[in-house]
Amino acid sequence: MSEPPPYPQIEPTTFDLIAVGTGLAECIVAAAASASGKTVLHLDTNPFYGSHYSSLSVPELTSFLISNSTASSPPSSTSTTTDIPDYSIVNLITQPVYSDVEISCFYPELMEENLRKFNLDLCGPRVLFCADKSIDLMLKSGASNYVEFKSIDASFVGDGNGKLWNVPDSRAAIFKDKSLTLMEKNQLMRFFKLVQGHLVATVGAGTSGNDGNGNGNDEEEGKMKISDEDLQRPFVEYLSKMRLPPKIRSIILYAIAMADYDQDDMGVCQNLLKTKDGIDRLALYQSSVGRFTNASGALIYPIYGQGELPQAFSRRSAVKGCIHVLRMPVTALLMEKDSGSYKGVRLASGQDIFSQKLVLDPSFTLASPSASPSDLLHESFNFLSTRDVKGKVARGICITRNSLKPDMSNLLVVYPPRSLYPEQITSIRALQISGNLAVCPLGMFVLYLSALCDDAIQGKRLLNAAMNALLTFPDPVNSESSSTVQSETTEEKPSVIWSGLYMQEMSTGQFDSINFAPMPDGNLNYNDILDAALKLFQEMYPNEENFPETTPPENSEDDIGLTLET
């Protein structure tokens, strides 16, 4: 009896869109195309959904990082052939998007018992604001039916002395905050009131409703509106103009507006935040607080990890007829010899599948075409094999047995630029997630860290500085002979059980009949990734609406379409 073929045959063989890779952007595009009535085939080499946005066990994460830190060679089975006279076969290869991977295990016996009980985010730290675009899109598309969330307990700003200062996110929080002086509380309250008044005045009296006073006095609101001149000036200058002290400015800039670079140093700041953008970010933060009655703050996190988000959109597209095939490598593209235009893909099974449009995982690039010397083909190759790399982000994952705060499980810590050492020019973010979010065994915690960087040396220094401020690394000699970890009495800082550090390349999508999805960026939320995905969809289908409205659910104004556990 002959063995079954290693890969299934796919029927039909022609689609409107083929998506290769199940990253978040690819899944959003595939779901949007399916909702618009397009026929979609969604493929992935991996046995899991999410690609660079997945949540993996410890062995899966280690294997994925290592395999994606080296370039692949063109498979010999997809060399140029003559079985399709009208097409040239151009091999697909993967380029390394991770580098400098360091995995350390300090308690092997303890980890061995729990290796597959983790759901570790590959693109962490990530959270969602309750009022951001991602939540709106999930509610609109119906993807919210397939994912549940839990709120982040609190946010903190860290300093070089080991202290964590609470980030007040509402009037009530400001008054309760014991770390702020009375003068600081009044300054922060006045500034938040000014921002709220500006937003109401901008939207127009009676249309905002955010302050519960829709019939406010136009003259009073006009006085509170920030001038156009101030809106165009650097946000840090405007905060200084408002006479806010350095501590308050730091909280606003780096823990609420989430600025990446040192806003006080124009020489090193690669992204200077304008007041207009800063106010918009404060508005997002403030509108996130209280959007969901059972959310304790502005930030939420998906139960089972960030890898649930691509899966939610994949499930939505499957409902609309999208065909998903995992463990299916795509080895080559079919390019028309005469025009050099894309026509289809060749699978590892040898089957050829055709489509009008193609979206590729960002780690793919094209091997040099060895077929027709057509100038048009080579022009297409030169365009498609050039990736738009936007820098690097250093990422770290630490597993501990203790919380950074004994009375909290899930929390965010931000280290503003120069808070840990003088040469620190970017923010460092650390997100602790506990077992009550089903990402690790109960009683354990996962700490995600990230920082934008130019190279691995700078990136590792940034991460190590934050890790040393927050955690204790055990003596490797002693830890090998012990499978237990100190838990309560001997140290204040949590002890690390396992850690992983790596550099990730950031690249953006390109638009043509062949499109590359973006890699995860260095932001805390997904707004830029979401914008890139929807732009990609609109470039491909300019006459289609993304996720056209269907019959709205009852009580949709209460956002009941989103499940948020208490």
Side-chain angles (χ1 to χ4, degrees), residues 266-281:
M266 305 293 182
V268 300
C269 183
Q270 298 182 27
N271 185 13
L272 187 62
L273 198 62
K274 295 288 185 67
T275 300
K276 180 183 183 304
D277 298 323
I279 296 299
D280 288 343
R281 295 187 185 188

Side-chain angles (χ1 to χ4, degrees), residues 20 26 51-53 95 97 360-365 387 505 507-508 516-520:
V20 183
E26 300 97 290
S51 188
H52 307 286
Y53 299 81
Q95 290 194 353
V97 291
L360 285 174
D361 182 285
S363 62
F364 280 114
T365 189
R387 294 193 302 168
E505 191 178 83
S507 61
T508 56
F516 289 91
M519 282 291 290

Side-chain angles (χ1 to χ4, degrees), residues 17-18 20 333 342 345 355-360 513-515:
L17 170 67
I18 294 176
V20 183
L333 303 186
Y342 160 81
V345 299
S355 68
Q356 297 176 6
K357 302 289 184 180
L358 175 68
V359 176
L360 285 174
S513 58
I514 303 174
N515 310 280

Side-chain angles (χ1 to χ4, degrees), residues 77-103:
S77 60
T78 57
S79 58
T80 303
T81 60
T82 58
D83 55 343
I84 308 180
D86 296 333
Y87 304 125
S88 293
I89 311 299
V90 180
N91 290 325
L92 275 179
I93 58 175
T94 57
Q95 290 194 353
V97 291
Y98 303 100
S99 63
D100 299 274
V101 179
E102 292 183 10
I103 305 295

Side-chain angles (χ1 to χ4, degrees), residues 444-561:
M444 290 188 178
F445 300 84
V446 180
L447 185 69
Y448 299 103
L449 304 101
S450 73
L452 297 179
C453 60
D454 296 324
D455 53 46
I457 295 176
Q458 182 190 49
K460 294 279 178 80
R461 185 182 183 191
L462 288 163
L463 296 187
N464 284 323
M467 289 159 62
N468 289 330
L470 294 168
L471 308 168
T472 297
F473 285 83
D475 182 347
V477 175
N478 294 333
S479 64
E480 289 296 329
S481 60
S482 173
S483 62
T484 60
V485 185
Q486 65 79 31
S487 58
E488 297 178 0
T489 57
T490 58
E491 294 177 350
E492 294 182 2
K493 295 192 292 188
S495 184
V496 177
I497 300 172
W498 179 96
S499 68
L501 303 181
Y502 50 98
M503 301 298 115
Q504 181 224 295
E505 191 178 83
M506 293 185 293
S507 61
T508 56
Q510 298 173 336
F511 310 119
D512 196 26
S513 58
I514 303 174
N515 310 280
F516 289 91
M519 282 291 290
D521 55 29
N523 296 333
L524 194 63
N525 66 2
Y526 290 103
N527 282 358
D528 288 352
I529 299 296
L530 182 69
D531 288 342
L534 295 180
K535 181 180 179 182
L536 190 59
F537 174 77
Q538 291 298 330
E539 289 282 341
M540 291 191 294
Y541 303 109
N543 298 321
E544 299 288 350
E545 178 188 358
N546 65 78
F547 300 106
E549 294 285 355
T550 56
T551 304
E554 295 182 6
N555 302 322
S556 60
E557 66 275 9
D558 295 327
D559 294 318
I560 62 169

Side-chain angles (χ1 to χ4, degrees), residues 136-153:
D136 294 337
L137 185 69
M138 281 190 284
L139 290 168
K140 179 183 179 182
S141 66
S144 57
N145 296 328
Y146 308 101
V147 61
E148 298 180 7
F149 295 89
K150 201 175 183 75
S151 63
I152 300 299
D153 299 326

Side-chain angles (χ1 to χ4, degrees), residues 27-277:
C27 290
I28 291 174
V29 171
S34 298
S36 297
K38 309 298 181 185
T39 56
V40 181
L41 174 63
H42 206 158
L43 307 168
D44 200 317
T45 303
N46 300 302
F48 50 81
Y49 287 91
S51 188
H52 307 286
Y53 299 81
S54 57
S55 299
L56 304 173
S57 68
V58 173
E60 289 173 331
L61 178 94
T62 303
S63 175
F64 187 86
L65 288 173
I66 293 174
S67 64
N68 283 273
S69 61
T70 57
S72 67
S73 301
S76 57
S77 60
T78 57
S79 58
T80 303
T81 60
T82 58
D83 55 343
I84 308 180
D86 296 333
Y87 304 125
S88 293
I89 311 299
V90 180
N91 290 325
L92 275 179
I93 58 175
T94 57
Q95 290 194 353
V97 291
Y98 303 100
S99 63
D100 299 274
V101 179
E102 292 183 10
I103 305 295
S104 303
C105 184
F106 301 98
Y107 295 90
E109 294 181 21
L110 181 61
M111 283 302 297
E112 189 66 31
E113 300 171 6
N114 297 285
L115 281 177
R116 300 195 176 275
K117 297 179 182 179
F118 291 91
N119 291 312
L120 302 179
D121 296 340
L122 197 57
C123 65
R126 293 272 175 181
V127 293
L128 290 85
F129 290 87
C130 290
D132 73 15
K133 299 175 183 177
S134 301
I135 299 298
D136 294 337
L137 185 69
M138 281 190 284
L139 290 168
K140 179 183 179 182
S141 66
S144 57
N145 296 328
Y146 308 101
V147 61
E148 298 180 7
F149 295 89
K150 201 175 183 75
S151 63
I152 300 299
D153 299 326
S155 298
F156 298 89
V157 171
D159 64 20
N161 298 320
K163 292 185 178 180
L164 298 179
W165 304 92
N166 186 60
V167 177
D169 52 18
S170 66
R171 292 186 179 185
I174 292 173
F175 281 119
K176 291 179 182 178
D177 194 332
K178 297 180 181 180
S179 68
L180 296 175
T181 66
L182 181 59
M183 179 178 292
E184 288 172 336
K185 290 180 180 181
N186 288 332
Q187 289 170 324
L188 197 53
M189 284 290 296
R190 284 198 300 269
F191 182 72
F192 280 177
K193 185 177 180 180
L194 172 64
V195 171
Q196 185 69 18
H198 168 78
L199 295 171
V200 171
T202 300
V203 174
T207 61
S208 172
N210 288 339
D211 61 350
N213 188 23
N215 296 317
N217 184 274
D218 291 344
E219 182 179 348
E220 182 179 345
E221 289 173 354
K223 290 180 181 178
M224 298 186 76
K225 188 173 181 181
I226 301 171
S227 69
D228 291 340
E229 180 182 355
D230 281 337
L231 289 174
Q232 295 305 313
R233 75 166 69 229
F235 194 33
V236 65
E237 288 184 10
Y238 181 71
L239 296 179
S240 298
K241 178 184 176 182
M242 301 306 296
R243 299 182 179 180
L244 294 175
K247 177 183 175 181
I248 299 298
R249 290 204 306 268
S250 184
I251 290 175
I252 292 172
L253 283 169
Y254 304 108
I256 297 179
M258 299 296 173
D260 291 310
Y261 291 93
D262 186 354
Q263 301 294 299
D264 289 300
D265 191 338
M266 305 293 182
V268 300
C269 183
Q270 298 182 27
N271 185 13
L272 187 62
L273 198 62
K274 295 288 185 67
T275 300
K276 180 183 183 304
D277 298 323

